[in-house]
Amino acid sequence: MIKKVKKKKAKKKIFLETLLVFFIAISPFLYKGYEYLPYNSNGDLTFFGFILGGNGFSDAKTYVWFLTTKVVPLYLMIFWFLTSRDWWYHIIIIPIAMYAFQLFEVLYDSDDVVDTDNIWWLIPICMITIPFVYIIRIKLYDKHVHGIDLEAIEAELEELKNKGYDNKDNFDSEGKIINAQHDEIPTISEDINEKLSTGNLESFLKSFQDRLQNWLHFKT
């Protein structure tokens, strides 16, 4: 029974990844496909009885071209976000939001001018994502360049707290224990998360990516 479930998940995973690879492979053709669509003498697109006008553009060809320049990079960015294993993958949210806002503006905004004010919509996302990624970078730099492992230090402090050494006053300038039995203090990572509010955001973004990957079976 377990083998059947694993085989089914593996089969679905391979199918979805094949679909993902297919859309990546045809992205250049989708990008230029607007040139080969059937347009009538009025400049409208006629496709299986459906007529698409210019929607504020000079003709339907220009409109479809503009949509293509947003849709293709958008889904490529989403694929990248879903499959990335790099520590900085959260920053991909910014270009994803940029293309999504631009696409939303051209589809639903009644204004004839596009790609203008939507840059301001990105500011809240940038204010959250950029500091968050920078803090992760600092942690990794401290760990791999300076040799400062916050998790190891936290584990050591937790062990000391269990023994009763749970206050900074218990240590001298060289890090040696002076005394014990004082009030509990937060660990280094807890202090960073409390001051910079990154712990909850990191957990949310990681959980969001993991849920999408599990749902799409990009993980086994």
Side-chain angles (χ1 to χ4, degrees), residues 89-125:
Y89 78 96
H90 304 90
I91 206 71
I92 305 173
I93 293 175
I94 293 178
I96 288 176
M98 178 188 71
Y99 282 112
F101 288 150
Q102 291 175 350
L103 189 60
F104 174 83
E105 183 182 19
V106 72
L107 288 175
Y108 297 104
D109 196 351
S110 59
D111 195 347
D112 292 335
V113 182
V114 294
D115 282 357
T116 53
D117 293 337
N118 57 58
I119 189 66
W120 301 110
W121 305 346
L122 289 173
I123 292 179
I125 296 176

Side-chain angles (χ1 to χ4, degrees), residues 6-142:
K6 287 184 176 180
K7 286 183 178 180
K8 187 176 180 180
K9 286 185 177 180
K11 185 178 180 180
K12 187 174 182 179
K13 178 177 182 290
I14 293 173
F15 171 75
L16 290 172
E17 288 181 345
T18 303
L19 198 63
L20 183 148
V21 170
F22 172 75
F23 276 103
I24 293 176
I26 66 171
S27 58
F29 304 99
L30 291 179
Y31 194 84
K32 297 293 290 185
Y34 72 93
E35 294 183 352
Y36 306 100
L37 295 175
Y39 302 97
N40 59 28
S41 58
N42 295 326
D44 297 332
L45 171 62
T46 56
F47 194 71
F48 291 106
F50 177 77
I51 299 177
L52 179 66
N55 194 29
F57 290 84
S58 58
D59 51 37
K61 187 175 183 179
T62 306
Y63 179 45
V64 175
W65 165 80
F66 188 86
L67 291 178
T68 304
T69 61
K70 308 304 178 184
V71 172
V72 173
L74 176 59
Y75 80 71
L76 291 177
M77 289 288 178
I78 292 174
F79 289 167
W80 189 10
F81 176 79
L82 289 174
T83 58
S84 177
R85 297 294 183 273
D86 297 305
W87 62 267
W88 46 265
Y89 78 96
H90 304 90
I91 206 71
I92 305 173
I93 293 175
I94 293 178
I96 288 176
M98 178 188 71
Y99 282 112
F101 288 150
Q102 291 175 350
L103 189 60
F104 174 83
E105 183 182 19
V106 72
L107 288 175
Y108 297 104
D109 196 351
S110 59
D111 195 347
D112 292 335
V113 182
V114 294
D115 282 357
T116 53
D117 293 337
N118 57 58
I119 189 66
W120 301 110
W121 305 346
L122 289 173
I123 292 179
I125 296 176
C126 293
M127 290 175 64
I128 295 174
T129 307
I130 293 175
F132 171 70
V133 173
Y134 184 72
I135 289 170
I136 294 178
R137 186 261 183 193
I138 291 175
K139 290 181 179 180
L140 290 174
Y141 194 86
D142 287 342

